[in-house]
Structure formats: C-alpha cells, structure tokens
Amino acid sequence: MPSSHVDDDFFARQKGIIAATLVLTTAGIPMLFQGQEMKESGWFDDNEALNWHKKEQFNEYYAAFQQLIALRKNSEGHSAGLTGDQTHIIHRDDAHKIIGFSRSNGVDDEQINVYLNLSDVEIEEYALSELHEEATCLFAWSDGIVTDEVSVKNGSINIPKYSVFIFSN
C-alpha cells in the first residue's frame, strides 16, 4: 500500500476489499480494525473519534464491507456456507493470479464459492472451476463497484483486475 494518499489510490481500495473478502469469507473468527470499513488510516487510538465523514466519502467501500459482513453472518439466509468450517481450494491459476475456494457448513446445497483476481490484468470469458451456469452471484467487487449482477456463460465470466466474486451454487 502507498505510504500516503491512500484515500485516492486505486490499488489501495481494490486490495483493501480483497483483504476484507479474505478475512470475512475464510474459516475462523474474522478480525476487523475500527474504522477499516471507512478507510480510516493511522493507528488505532481510543482517545480519538473516528472520522465519520469518511463513511459518506467512501460509501461504496463501506457498502462492500456491509455486504461482506451480512454474507458472513448469513443475514439473508443464502450464504450459510460461510458459517461453516470447511474450506477447499477449487481454482488456482498462478499465471493469472486467480484463486478460488469453496466454503461449506457441511450441507452440500449450502456451498459458497469465492474467486479473487489478485492481478492487474482483465480477462474476458475466463473459465472458473466449479462455477455452475445456474450459480447466483451474491457479491462482486470491481473498480469501486459493488454488484450482484454477473453474467455466467458456459462457466465463464469476465474478470476485471483486482476483483472479487462470491457465488452460491
């Protein structure tokens, strides 16, 4: 991450959401730092109030965190796989720096697939392992945009640089 001007840095924003996705979608107890969802910078200091105007300034970033947290908690009842302790790597492409893993709570129909593009390269019509045609996109992050509108064609999707996709099968 850059040492200054983090608020305006594209890579800091993208990598911040990728890191949050990893923390909130992998097994174990997730730990977030106070203000992280608003791009609060600096050391934690309980004597200083959070800079709450950052919530509005980085509303898309904040919204991404809120969606990831809701998925982790299975708030809407369609991401129970993220509440379990089972994790399996389902996709690994070292050349393109794309990784995918599935999470499950032990019930086959509750599997969640998480895919991360850790590179600065966009790829069109990229085939992801274990991505079913009828998969439902629960979360997608790309260039500051949070969406659930991702088109799956023959198990392939267009993958922007430094992006995240979470699917329910």
Side-chain angles (χ1 to χ4, degrees):
M1 298 293 179
S3 59
S4 63
H5 305 294
V6 176
D7 292 352
D8 301 324
D9 190 88
F10 167 81
F11 300 105
R13 180 184 64 205
Q14 298 306 100
K15 292 176 182 178
I17 295 298
I18 288 172
T21 300
L22 285 169
V23 167
L24 291 165
T25 62
T26 55
I29 298 171
M31 180 177 162
L32 299 175
F33 293 105
Q34 182 177 354
Q36 184 176 348
E37 72 279 15
M38 299 180 296
K39 291 182 75 173
E40 187 70 73
S41 59
W43 299 100
F44 171 75
D45 184 350
D46 59 357
N47 294 318
E48 289 186 36
L50 289 174
N51 189 350
W52 287 101
H53 88 275
K54 285 189 165 193
K55 181 180 172 187
E56 312 318 321
Q57 183 181 0
F58 303 113
N59 61 344
E60 80 288 344
Y61 199 83
Y62 182 81
F65 268 82
Q66 295 308 300
Q67 281 189 271
L68 288 167
I69 291 167
L71 288 171
R72 173 63 182 228
K73 292 168 48 177
N74 193 29
S75 296
E76 295 183 20
H78 54 262
S79 56
L82 293 177
T83 65
D85 63 354
Q86 298 180 22
T87 304
H88 302 285
I89 301 296
I90 57 172
H91 188 91
R92 180 178 168 184
D93 181 346
D94 293 338
H96 291 103
K97 297 181 182 175
I98 297 174
I99 190 162
F101 57 91
S102 70
R103 289 286 313 283
S104 174
N105 63 359
V107 180
D108 289 337
D109 63 347
E110 293 293 336
Q111 181 176 323
I112 300 294
N113 291 348
V114 180
Y115 302 95
L116 304 133
N117 180 3
L118 306 173
S119 77
D120 63 351
V121 176
E122 293 186 31
I123 306 169
E124 291 188 18
E125 297 182 26
Y126 184 83
L128 291 167
S129 304
E130 296 193 32
L131 179 61
H132 303 288
E133 195 72 32
E134 62 278 354
T136 301
C137 184
L138 303 176
F139 176 87
W141 170 268
S142 169
D143 197 13
I145 299 170
V146 179
T147 185
D148 58 1
E149 310 246 343
V150 175
S151 176
V152 179
K153 296 176 189 166
N154 300 320
S156 298
I157 62 172
N158 293 335
I159 300 186
K161 56 188 170 185
Y162 297 115
S163 55
V164 172
F165 300 92
I166 301 175
F167 289 94
S168 173
N169 281 333

